[in-house]
Every structure is written in C-alpha cells, then in structure tokens.
Amino acid sequence: MTVASGNIIEKFDSIDNPIERAAKIKDEANKYFKDEKYDLAIELYTAAIDLDSLQPTYYGNRSIANLRKELFGSALQDANEAIKLDPAYVKAYFRRASANMALGKYRLALKDYESVKKFRPNDADAQKKFEECSKIVKRIAFEKAIACDFDEKKLIDSIKPDEFAVETSYDGPRLDGEISLEFMKDLIAHFKAEKKLPIRYAYKMILAAYNFFKDQDSLIHITVPDKQKFTICGDIHGQFYDLINLFELNGLPSESNPYLFNGDFVDRGSFSVETIFTLLGFKLLYPKNFFMSRGNHESDSLNKMYGFEGEVKAKYNAKMSEVFTELFNQLPLVHVINKKILCCHGGLSADENVTLEQLRKLHRTRQPPEDGPMCGLLWSDPQDENGISVSKRGAGIQWGPDITKKFLEANDLLYIVRSHEVKPEGYERHHDGQVYTIFSAPNYCDQIGNKGAFINITGDNLYPPKITSFEAVPHPRIRPMQYGSSLFNFLS
C-alpha cells in the first residue's frame, strides 16, 4: 500500500463499524477511478475488500480498474469472485468477458455475453456484443477448418500494390522505387499535416517489411561499434506526434544514429497507422541500423480491442488489417546488443534454463501462446520478490531478482532492457540494475501524466545506460481509442 492510499484510509479510522468504513473507502476509490488514477483506486478497493469481503460490487469495481491497467488476470479473478457472491451481477459478466476477449479466449467471453442476454433480454448493447463475439468465434472455427499445415495460404501473398491507383489529386511523397531519406522526411511532414499515404504505397511498405522480417531469426544480434551511440525506445502506442518529438530530441534514425524500438508500436493512440508506417519506413531505409521487436500489442486479439484494427479499417480497409496481423507474426521477439544486453518487450518465462540459442530458434509466426518463452518475451513483468509468481496480466509471469541473476549468468549477459509498463518518469530500474523498464509514450492515452523516456548507450560504454525523460507534445484533437471496437467498451 502506498503512502497516498494509507493517508486516505486513515481518514476513516474513527468509524468503528468495518462495513461502514469499507463503504466510505469504496466511495473514495470510485472518485480516484473517475479521475483515472487506477493504481490508487485498486489499492482502495482492496482495502475495502479487506474490511468487507462479501460485497460483490467491490470486486466488480476493482475488476474494471484492473481492466484499465490491462491486468487481465486480476480482472478475471475479481469478476469471478463478484459472480460467486452475486450470480445475477450483470456488470461482472461484462467485465469477465472483456478480460477473456483481451486474452483471446473468445468462447469463454461468448458464454458470458450469453449470460448477460439472459439477464437482460431487451438490452440492445448486450445483444450487439453477443452477436459480434459470436462472429469472431465462428470465423476462428472456419479458419481452423480450412487450414492445411502443408499448404498454408497467406493473405499477404495475394496483395499486388500496383493494382491500386494513386489519386490524381495526391500531392504527397511518392514511393516508385526504393525508400529514401527524402521520402521519409516528406512522409513525416505528410502525416503531421493529417494526410494519408495512398494504399499502393502503404502495401508496398508492408510487403517489403514482411519479406525482410520473414527471413530473420526470432533473436537478432546487434553490434554497436565503440563510441557509436545506440538508442533503445519502449512502447509508442500510436502516439505519432510524440514519436516525432523523440526523433527531434535524439536525432532522426541513420546509419550513424541507430535505434531499437521494443514493441507495442500500435493500439491505444489513434495515430497508430502513421506510427507503424514511419517505423517500417525507417526499417526499410536502414535495415542494419533500425530494429523492431514484437510486443504483446502486435497481436490480433489486442488489435481488435485497442483500436489498431479499427483504425486500419477506417483509413484503409479490413483486408489490410489482416495483412498487418501476418506482418506482426514475422517480427523478431528479442535482440541482443554486443552479446551483453538482452532487449525484449516483456521479459523472462517460467523456463529458467532457456538459452539464447533456444530463443533464436523459437517458432514465432503465430499469435502469442498462453505460456512458454514466447509468451514471456511478450507479456512478463519483473517483481521485487525472489522466485516466479502468477502474472496479474493473465499471461506470462512475474519474475524476481534471483531469476534475473541466474538467466544473466547462464547466458553471459550484463542486463535486460524491457518495456511493457507505464512508469512516471518513463523508466524504472529493477533488480539492482540488472533490469530496466523503458516506456516511450508520454502522457499515455492523454490521461496518465507520465513522462516518456529512451536509453542511450555506446558500444564501449554499455553500463550504466544513459536515460533521457521527455514530456508529451500536443496532437490533433482525436481522442485515444477513437477506433476501438464497441465490443470492448469497459464502461458497459
């Protein structure tokens, strides 16, 4: 419990009845939830539950706060407890369904939407969610039925960019040959002016990136020469204008100014299309000096929830959103710098003895599995306590300093750089400096108030890393999650 929540709880110490005291603390938690201070709200709901564990609404409220924090495992547990206490608590079914959707457990989500329909047969929103979820379940079943391992057809193979015409009125950058620095500068200016890249050029970039990534291993070794600066960035989450500000602060990517972006390029922010094409463009321009790791948000289920699929459909079409799913499946999972720094989006897995060679050979061209090394690389988080714990996210693990030490020693590494978590200053140092979290989306979702950050190292000075924090910059008046599916409205 933090000092802030402790001070709030102390205000009600004079109330002798624990049930009345719990109700007052819950009311305070609701205020902080409304102000989008979810960490504090969760602590207060927990305090209320400790005083009165028989109130289903306390668990239900904590469940939605956990959903907002993307702690899907904790959200599931709270929704289950709320339903156990009150089997007719409709909101808990909604929240459990949302958590299961985020984890790709569509059939379980469908059962909950079916339950809601029974409780509220005339509820149009419940009917809509049931129908949309049902479509997803049927689509997945159909895809499995027609799938053939020996003759797998990819949608991306059917894309012919030159079949798409460029509008005669188009006055932006043109991609009729190889990508150039001039094209990238013009593309950034074009995007900043809120203009769209024609679909012909968009598909050209996707296809070129796909063909590059598909020939790579799941683990990429990066060599940084002595004295050369190298930059590691964390989550961007569709915050295009903050990405461009980062480049203004640290310099545009180049052969002498290389970058690694550590996953979660898209979702949440409503400029994910502009963000991903900017990153792919620099990857194609500087394939040996610009690197991209897959994050947990480069996945089909989260793209459906958090807006990327909807944004691609709105700005282009549904087919392109499916092609992006195939592209994301090809992204590398982990990078190792100068054989000493391991960079991945999430972290370690329950397999304490996994080696770098095993990570290099990981089968990655799929949606994230529910466990194992690939799941850990995309989903896991560090914890202060030794050992391994169940993740609050519902995927991956939480791992302690002893696990970090063992892994680093076994693989002759100095430290781990990972992302995946919002931090007030944009970064956090864990496990006595053997793990760093770096997060590069300042004022996440226009509401958290955090700074972003990036790491600089040089080839001859790997430790300690130099970390720079930066503030958010203004962007056009388009709210985060503008393109998120109504199916995943956590306020329902």
Side-chain angles (χ1 to χ4, degrees):
M1 186 170 293
T2 61
V3 173
S5 60
N7 290 338
I8 295 166
I9 293 166
E10 285 179 3
K11 293 193 303 182
F12 304 107
D13 283 350
S14 60
I15 301 175
D16 293 331
N17 187 317
I19 293 176
E20 292 179 11
R21 190 156 72 249
K24 290 290 186 181
I25 293 171
K26 180 267 297 180
D27 290 341
E28 289 294 305
N30 288 348
K31 293 176 185 177
Y32 285 101
F33 178 87
K34 187 177 180 181
D35 291 338
E36 298 171 340
K37 296 178 179 178
Y38 304 121
D39 287 322
L40 191 50
I42 288 169
E43 290 179 11
L44 293 174
Y45 288 133
T46 300
I49 289 168
D50 289 342
L51 289 166
D52 183 2
S53 61
L54 299 179
Q55 289 295 328
T57 54
Y58 297 176
Y59 294 97
N61 289 0
R62 193 171 66 178
S63 179
I64 192 172
N66 278 316
L67 281 171
R68 292 293 179 85
K69 289 284 293 177
E70 298 185 27
L71 302 176
F72 305 120
S74 295
L76 276 174
Q77 290 177 357
D78 283 337
N80 284 335
E81 192 62 35
I83 291 168
K84 189 188 301 180
L85 291 168
D86 181 2
Y89 185 14
V90 175
K91 287 184 179 180
Y93 288 97
F94 267 125
R95 287 158 194 176
R96 189 166 70 180
S98 295
N100 277 319
M101 290 293 289
L103 294 169
K105 297 176 180 179
Y106 302 111
R107 289 186 179 277
L108 292 176
L110 186 61
K111 288 182 180 179
D112 282 329
Y113 288 131
E114 193 168 12
S115 296
V116 172
K117 265 206 335 166
K118 291 177 181 177
F119 286 118
R120 295 181 179 175
N122 298 318
D123 187 323
D125 184 53
Q127 179 64 33
K128 181 180 179 182
K129 284 178 166 57
F130 173 81
E131 290 173 355
E132 290 188 35
C133 186
S134 181
K135 287 178 184 177
I136 293 173
V137 170
K138 290 176 181 177
R139 176 177 62 81
I140 292 172
F142 175 73
E143 290 171 352
K144 285 183 178 179
I146 64 173
C148 298
D149 291 340
F150 59 87
D151 187 26
E152 185 179 355
K153 300 288 186 182
K154 288 189 169 59
L155 183 61
I156 200 166
D157 294 333
S158 69
I159 302 298
K160 310 295 181 189
D162 290 336
E163 293 180 355
F164 296 90
V166 177
E167 297 86 347
T168 55
S169 60
Y170 177 69
D171 60 355
R174 294 182 177 270
L175 184 58
D176 297 319
E178 297 294 318
I179 286 181
S180 65
L181 179 57
E182 181 183 9
F183 172 84
M184 288 306 303
K185 289 179 177 179
D186 289 345
L187 182 65
I188 289 171
H190 190 70
F191 284 156
K192 287 178 74 174
E194 301 181 66
K195 297 180 180 179
K196 191 176 78 170
L197 185 68
I199 192 169
R200 172 190 285 188
Y201 303 147
Y203 270 136
K204 278 189 173 184
M205 293 176 73
I206 294 171
L207 276 170
Y210 177 89
N211 288 328
F212 181 89
F213 286 127
K214 72 181 176 65
D215 293 329
Q216 293 201 303
D217 292 328
S218 292
L219 182 151
I220 306 297
H221 282 283
I222 300 171
T223 300
V224 180
D226 289 355
K227 309 299 181 184
Q228 184 177 68
K229 182 179 77 171
F230 188 90
T231 303
I232 307 169
C233 302
D235 303 40
I236 300 298
H237 276 299
Q239 296 185 198
F240 169 76
Y241 293 85
D242 292 309
L243 170 65
I244 301 310
N245 181 50
L246 189 160
F247 288 149
E248 291 175 357
L249 294 171
N250 193 59
L252 279 176
S254 68
E255 292 180 352
S256 60
N257 192 29
Y259 279 83
L260 165 62
F261 281 83
N262 214 13
D264 281 13
F265 320 119
V266 301
D267 280 341
R268 290 285 196 175
S270 293
F271 305 96
S272 291
V273 163
E274 292 79 5
T275 296
I276 193 62
F277 281 121
T278 300
L279 295 175
L280 291 177
F282 279 119
K283 178 62 188 176
L284 295 170
L285 180 59
Y286 303 115
K288 296 181 180 179
N289 306 95
F290 192 92
F291 304 90
M292 298 169 66
S293 285
R294 186 177 184 177
N296 65 309
H297 274 266
E298 278 70 60
S299 64
D300 185 57
S301 59
L302 294 189
N303 291 164
K304 291 183 186 306
M305 172 178 286
Y306 288 104
F308 183 61
E309 180 183 279
E311 185 179 343
V312 175
K313 286 180 177 179
K315 294 178 179 178
Y316 291 101
N317 56 43
K319 187 174 185 178
M320 184 182 285
S321 70
E322 295 180 44
V323 170
F324 265 115
T325 296
E326 295 181 359
L327 170 62
F328 290 160
N329 283 348
Q330 300 293 340
L331 289 170
L333 303 174
V334 58
H335 292 76
V336 176
I337 301 171
N338 286 11
K339 299 183 179 180
K340 290 297 181 183
I341 307 170
L342 183 135
C343 302
C344 65
H345 182 71
L348 303 184
S349 69
D351 183 355
E352 299 179 39
N353 299 311
V354 69
T355 65
L356 296 185
E357 181 62 14
Q358 288 172 324
L359 295 181
R360 184 182 71 82
K361 294 179 178 179
L362 273 179
H363 168 51
R364 72 178 187 278
T365 54
R366 53 181 171 157
Q367 290 304 293
E370 294 186 9
D371 52 31
M374 179 175 173
C375 180
L377 290 169
L378 299 178
W379 277 96
S380 292
D381 298 296
Q383 65 180 16
D384 294 334
E385 301 78 19
N386 280 335
I388 291 174
S389 302
V390 175
S391 173
K392 295 178 181 178
R393 296 179 185 269
I397 61 163
Q398 294 179 193
W399 86 94
D402 58 327
I403 306 300
T404 294
K405 183 179 179 182
K406 179 180 178 181
F407 175 79
L408 294 179
E409 289 177 351
N411 291 284
D412 194 22
L413 297 165
L414 275 177
Y415 60 99
I416 297 168
V417 176
R418 42 89 62 183
S419 302
H420 197 37
E421 291 182 281
V422 185
K423 299 297 178 183
E425 296 299 314
Y427 70 94
E428 187 171 323
R429 182 177 180 269
H430 316 265
H431 301 179
D432 294 323
Q434 292 189 311
V435 177
Y436 287 85
T437 292
I438 196 77
F439 191 87
S440 303
N443 194 24
Y444 184 42
C445 296
D446 289 354
Q447 62 186 224
I448 303 300
N450 62 291
K451 293 179 182 178
F454 54 86
I455 282 177
N456 290 135
I457 57 165
T458 59
D460 56 336
N461 191 8
L462 301 177
Y463 190 86
K466 178 187 174 185
I467 303 176
T468 301
S469 295
F470 61 98
E471 301 280 358
V473 295
H475 63 73
R477 292 173 64 88
I478 301 175
R479 63 178 176 82
M481 293 288 291
Q482 173 72 30
Y483 302 98
S485 171
S486 61
L487 181 59
F488 306 105
N489 182 359
F490 291 157
L491 293 175
S492 295

